[in-house]
């Protein structure tokens, strides 16, 4: 039992930022479901739309937990000790089940769809784990695609129940294969802390290899190399990855939202608004989390910057991050607006713009403090920081709602901006006073 | 001391309750190539990174070119090259982009000189940093530091991942650089044979202080194991008080010379009240003796 609980803990915490992301996103998803379900019974289309969004999280859970499993598989015990292997697999399945159930609370009392709502996310998590666990590229692509292929059976007039049944059977077969197969993972070369620090948060903390991240960024970097050669103390590329610099994730999130919204007929505007809040607030912070791991790259040139406690260097870093956060937020919101226009989804440009300004302001005000913490696995600091961030955004947006129709909206925005400036002064001062040597130890 | 490029006074640095550097005093002269030795955890990286202003010191003063860090001019700052022990990063860049990017921070970055060194090391400039081996990555960072033609070069275990032939190349490049530009080099290493080839001075960091700081040639000409012969056990008399590790036994005593004596070794033997038999000591033996780890 002790080994089982240890395995669970290791899979949960093998990458602290992802765990944070899981918790944050589950809270947001649940809150979102409460909002859209409201007092009325949600329609089938709404359930389907929400389920689809939940499935993206199920994929993430599969990839994340499999990332932890993959690390533990590298121990030689996996291949010679069945107890070790079975404990890990049980822990993985247990986590997949619990977290998927957490995502699907009693919000949909519509029993007709319960088998779909309850089973599909778990099955998707098991299949998507093969994005990481697959022995080769073919496995990694084909196995996770199985549920998608089976769902297509409805085109050939297969009944809803038979499709669900076939997905469940396929999942069971996959689980049996997991237990019976060997699939020992040869240990990767030991990574130093510094090497880990260059792994991008957006990819690598999910368990995807840093090689993939590097290759992806290398391709982008080739096109950016002219900028790289620009003379002067341009610290941007030392603290920001090319994929973040080009706001690729913001575009991806925007596409994801529009894709999800296309599946529902009503409440499109509500959905876009809710998901914009969710993705914008998490993606802006994920940029910061990525950068805090990259700060170490500035060490070679840190001595060139003047000021006590490396103030000039720290200001350069903040400026680079500020520009990047603003750019990502603008790209995100422009993408949402353009795609909504393209797919004729009606949304309130004004409301969305206000939401963006408020989230962006709070993110800019709050993030310097996130660069300061020393986080080793799960810490109280980490939880407090993220709760404060979420609470700040929640309060700003909650109050903004009551002003949307009012002529005092502008005053509310100005007041919010002033509060954010005040918060920024405090967080920036904390960041200035943080010893540079401690920033270099960020993990 | 003629022209100290680095001057450290009463430097103390601690991590929580662990005092790593304790009132350390040290001066390094322009043009010296200094090997910094010390056991694992002795504080070599802490000392080098403190010199680089990467660590916040608890007490003391570090001056470069007679200026403390806040008063150090931009021109002087750009004359410093630094290679950290675990320099990894920028994995997505190509070798040439990496060098050009970091070179952009230094006014004196010499593109042609850099290309020449890359060629000399056999690195492919189009290759991705991620695809380099551990040793090649280390070389890349050394190349970056050399390309600015620094006046002060600080290297934290720069040869740890290099094979013998690469180490030889590295040594020859450092010597060239030091001769051409009168560069002062401080490097930490555990490979004593390299130290003998390259350094003109050796510093031993022990118990949070620079315990010994000597010219390599001077040290090598003195250090030795001694067998002092007598027909009875010998106690350490005033004549022998400069000797270390004194052990009396039935036929006299054994001892070691671990620091240069006030007189030459020949003269010391000649004037000794007892006959002395000498066994040569290598720098590696000296290092082990100094750390009380001799086998």
């Amino acid at each position: 039992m002790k080994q089982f609980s240890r395995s669970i803990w290791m899979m949960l915490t093998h990458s602290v930022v992802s765990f944070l992301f899981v918790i944050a996103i589950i809270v947001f998803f649940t809150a979102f479901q409460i909002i859209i379900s409201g007092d009325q019974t949600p329609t089938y289309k709404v359930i389907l739309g929400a389920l689809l969004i939940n499935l993206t999280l199920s994929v993430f859970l599969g990839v994340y937990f499999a990332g932890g499993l993959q690390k533990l598989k590298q121990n030689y015990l996996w291949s010679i000790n069945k107890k070790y292997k079975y404990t890990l697999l049980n822990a993985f399945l247990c986590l997949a089940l619990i977290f998927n159930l957490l995502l699907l609370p009693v919000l949909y009392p519509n029993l007709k769809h319960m088998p779909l709502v309850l089973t599909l996310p778990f099955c998707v998590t098991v299949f998507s784990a093969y994005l990481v666990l697959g022995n080769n590229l073919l496995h990694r692509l084909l196995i996770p695609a199985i549920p998608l292929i089976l769902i297509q059976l409805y085109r050939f007039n297969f009944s809803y129940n038979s499709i669900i049944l076939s997905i469940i059977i396929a999942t069971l077969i996959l689980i049996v294969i997991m237990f019976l197969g060997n699939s020992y993972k040869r240990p990767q070369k030991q990574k130093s802390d510094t090497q880990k620090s260059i792994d991008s948060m957006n990819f690598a903390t999910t368990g995807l290899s840093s090689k993939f991240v590097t290759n992806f960024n290398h391709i982008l970097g080739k096109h950016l190399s002219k900028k790289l050669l620009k003379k002067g103390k341009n610290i941007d590329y030392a603290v920001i990855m090319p994929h973040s610099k080009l706001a690729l994730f913001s575009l991806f999130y925007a596409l994801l939202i529009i894709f999800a919204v296309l599946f529902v007929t009503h409440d499109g505007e509500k959905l876009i608004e809710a998901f914009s809040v969710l993705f914008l607030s998490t993606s802006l912070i994920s940029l910061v989390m990525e950068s805090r791991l990259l700060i170490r790259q500035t060490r070679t040139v840190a001595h060139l910057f003047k000021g006590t406690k490396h103030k000039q260097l720290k200001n350069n870093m903040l400026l680079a991050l500020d520009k990047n956060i603003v750019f990502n937020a603008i790209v995100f919101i422009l993408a949402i607006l353009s795609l909504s226009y393209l797919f004729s989804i009606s949304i309130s440009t004004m409301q969305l713009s206000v939401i963006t300004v408020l989230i962006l302001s709070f993110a800019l005000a709050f993030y310097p403090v996130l660069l300061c913490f020393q986080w080793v696995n799960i810490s109280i600091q980490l939880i407090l920081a993220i709760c404060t961030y979420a609470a700040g955004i929640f309060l700003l947006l909650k109050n903004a709602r009551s002003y949307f129709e009012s002529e005092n909206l502008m005053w509310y925005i100005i007041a919010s901006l002033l509060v954010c400036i005040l918060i920024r002064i405090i967080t920036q001062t904390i960041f200035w006073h943080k010893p540079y040597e401690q920033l270099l130890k960020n993990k | 001391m003629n022209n100290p490029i680095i001057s450290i006074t009463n430097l103390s640095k601690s991590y929580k309750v662990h005092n790593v550097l304790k009132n350390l005093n040290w001066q390094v002269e322009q043009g010296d190539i200094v090997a910094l030795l010390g056991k694992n955890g002795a504080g070599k990286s802490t000392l080098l990174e403190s010199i680089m202003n990467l660590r916040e010191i608890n007490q003391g003063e570090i001056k470069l070119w007679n200026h403390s860090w806040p008063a150090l001019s931009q021109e002087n700052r750009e004359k410093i090259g630094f290679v950290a022990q675990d320099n990894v990063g920028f994995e997505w860049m190509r070798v040439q982009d990496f060098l050009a990017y970091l070179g952009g921070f230094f006014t004196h970055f010499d593109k042609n000189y850099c290309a020449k060194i890359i060629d000399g090391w056999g690195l492919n400039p189009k290759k991705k940093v991620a695809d380099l081996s551990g040793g090649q990555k280390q070389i890349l960072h050394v190349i970056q530091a050399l390309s600015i033609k620094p006046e002060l070069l600080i290297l934290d275990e720069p040869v740890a991942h290099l094979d013998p032939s690469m180490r030889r190349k590295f040594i020859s490049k450092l010597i060239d650089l030091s001769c051409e530009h009168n560069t002062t080099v401080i490097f930490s290493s555990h490979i004593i044979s390299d130290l003998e080839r390259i350094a003109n001075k050796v510093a031993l960091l022990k118990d949070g202080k620079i315990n010994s700081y000597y010219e390599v040639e001077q040290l090598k000409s003195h250090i030795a194991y001694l067998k002092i012969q007598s027909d009875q056990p010998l106690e350490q008399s005033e004549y022998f008080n400069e000797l270390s590790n004194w052990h009396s036994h039935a036929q006299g005593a054994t001892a070691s010379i671990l620091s240069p004596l006030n007189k030459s070794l020949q003269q010391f033997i000649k004037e000794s009240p007892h006959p002395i038999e000498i066994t040569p000591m290598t720098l590696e033996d000296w290092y082990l003796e100094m750390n009380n780890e001799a086998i």
Side-chain angles (χ1 to χ4, degrees), chain A residues 194 198 211 214-215 217-218 229 232-235 237-238 242 297 299-300 303-305 309-310 436-437, chain B residues 13 52-56 69 74 77 80 84 86 89-92 94 100-101 104-105 128 130-131 144:
Chain A
T194 344
I198 55 92
K211 190 87 182 159
T214 310
N215 288 341
N217 281 299
H218 176 67
L229 303 180
K233 293 184 197 174
N234 180 5
I235 207 79
Y237 288 93
Q297 294 186 153
R299 185 168 47 170
T300 318
H303 65 280
L304 299 174
F305 294 86
K309 289 187 179 267
H310 295 87
Y436 178 64
E437 65 175 290
Chain B
K13 170 72 186 172
M52 284 303 299
N53 196 30
L54 296 175
R55 305 243 179 204
E56 283 202 1
W69 267 100
Q74 190 62 30
R77 285 168 188 259
I80 307 170
D86 51 356
F90 303 100
E91 303 264 316
W92 53 272
R94 286 180 291 189
Y101 175 62
F105 286 86
K128 254 188 300 173
D131 292 339
Q144 185 272 319

Side-chain angles (χ1 to χ4, degrees), chain A residues 36-325:
Chain A
I36 64 161
S37 62
D39 297 331
Q40 57 204 323
T41 311
T43 61
Y44 178 65
K45 284 270 185 189
V46 171
I47 291 178
L48 209 61
L51 182 64
L52 199 75
I53 296 295
N54 276 0
L55 289 183
T56 60
L57 186 57
S58 300
V59 170
F60 172 78
L61 289 175
V63 171
Y64 177 56
F65 294 140
L69 180 62
Q70 185 79 331
K71 285 177 187 169
L72 295 165
K73 269 176 78 177
Q74 293 178 18
N75 193 299
Y76 73 98
L77 285 175
W78 176 272
S79 96
I80 63 162
N81 187 333
K82 280 191 176 164
K83 196 178 161 194
Y84 179 81
K85 181 179 168 181
Y86 292 168
T87 307
L88 293 186
L89 287 172
N90 284 332
F92 167 75
L93 294 172
C94 184
L95 279 174
L97 191 68
I98 291 170
F99 273 80
N100 277 302
L101 284 176
L102 277 177
L103 274 175
L104 306 158
V106 281
L107 295 170
Y108 302 118
N110 189 342
L111 283 176
K112 192 185 160 196
H113 303 299
M114 279 314 268
L116 177 78
V117 169
L118 283 176
T119 53
L120 203 56
F122 172 75
C123 297
V124 165
T125 297
V126 172
F127 278 101
S128 61
Y130 271 77
L131 280 168
V132 176
L133 298 176
N135 290 333
N136 51 48
L137 189 64
L138 203 66
H139 282 178
R140 288 179 180 213
L141 292 176
L142 279 184
I143 298 175
I146 289 173
L148 287 175
I149 296 165
L150 290 175
I151 283 172
Q152 300 306 316
L153 289 174
Y154 85 91
R155 292 176 191 275
F156 303 100
N157 295 327
F158 279 79
S159 71
Y160 159 79
N161 284 335
S162 59
I163 293 172
I164 292 290
L165 193 66
S166 63
I167 291 176
I168 292 171
I169 290 169
T171 309
L172 288 174
I173 291 170
L174 200 61
I175 291 171
V176 171
I177 292 171
M178 272 183 179
F179 276 86
L180 294 182
N182 184 353
S183 66
Y184 167 62
K185 175 78 182 161
R186 195 174 271 279
Q188 287 175 342
K189 233 173 29 181
Q190 194 66 36
K191 279 185 184 176
S192 67
D193 283 344
T194 344
Q195 206 153 3
K196 283 178 201 159
S197 78
I198 55 92
D199 288 352
S200 155
M201 177 215 154
N202 280 315
F203 290 110
T205 49
T206 59
L208 292 177
S209 76
S210 60
K211 190 87 182 159
F212 171 74
V213 184
T214 310
N215 288 341
F216 181 63
N217 281 299
H218 176 67
I219 294 164
L220 299 174
K222 270 186 180 175
H223 300 287
L224 294 169
S225 56
K226 271 188 186 164
K227 282 189 180 176
L228 287 176
L229 303 180
K230 217 166 66 178
K231 286 261 178 189
K233 293 184 197 174
N234 180 5
I235 207 79
D236 292 17
Y237 288 93
V239 290
I240 301 165
M241 285 280 197
H243 64 250
S244 302
K245 190 92 180 146
L246 295 177
L248 291 185
F249 273 90
S250 300
L251 279 172
F252 171 72
Y253 288 140
L255 271 173
L256 200 70
I257 292 173
I258 299 297
F259 178 71
V261 170
L262 285 176
F263 280 81
V264 293
T265 47
H266 327 275
D267 301 322
E269 188 180 350
K270 224 175 182 181
L271 270 173
I272 287 183
E273 196 184 301
F275 278 109
S276 296
V277 171
L278 169 68
F279 283 118
L280 192 60
S281 50
T282 50
S283 70
L284 294 185
I285 284 308
S286 78
L287 293 175
V288 178
M289 299 305 234
E290 185 174 284
S291 292
R292 58 190 293 284
L293 300 178
L294 299 173
I295 289 176
R296 194 183 286 246
Q297 294 186 153
T298 61
R299 185 168 47 170
T300 318
V301 292
H303 65 280
L304 299 174
F305 294 86
K306 288 189 172 179
T308 47
K309 289 187 179 267
H310 295 87
K311 198 171 173 182
Q312 195 187 32
L313 174 66
K314 287 175 182 171
N315 281 340
N316 272 267
M317 282 189 222
L318 290 181
L319 185 65
L321 284 171
D322 285 344
K323 281 189 294 182
N324 198 37
I325 288 173

Side-chain angles (χ1 to χ4, degrees), chain B residues 157-208:
Chain B
E157 299 211 20
V159 291
H161 296 110
L162 304 189
D163 62 42
S165 83
M166 285 292 205
R167 289 214 311 270
R168 286 285 170 98
K169 270 189 189 175
F170 167 77
I171 287 166
S172 114
K173 281 275 179 262
L174 271 195
I175 292 171
D176 287 351
L177 189 80
S178 183
C179 293
E180 282 172 34
H181 307 286
N182 196 28
T183 301
T184 309
V185 183
I186 304 176
F187 71 98
S188 64
S189 179
H190 287 293
I191 303 171
I192 313 277
S193 57
D194 291 336
L195 178 167
E196 294 188 60
R197 287 194 187 94
I198 186 175
N200 69 325
K201 284 190 178 166
V202 57
L204 179 73
L205 183 62
K206 193 182 167 190
D207 301 327

Side-chain angles (χ1 to χ4, degrees), chain A residues 14-35:
Chain A
H14 73 93
S15 170
V16 62
V17 180
S18 286
F19 182 57
L20 164 80
F21 186 67
V22 173
I23 299 294
I25 212 164
I26 283 177
V27 171
F28 273 112
F29 268 62
T30 312
F32 160 72
Q33 290 189 18
I34 292 168
I35 292 164

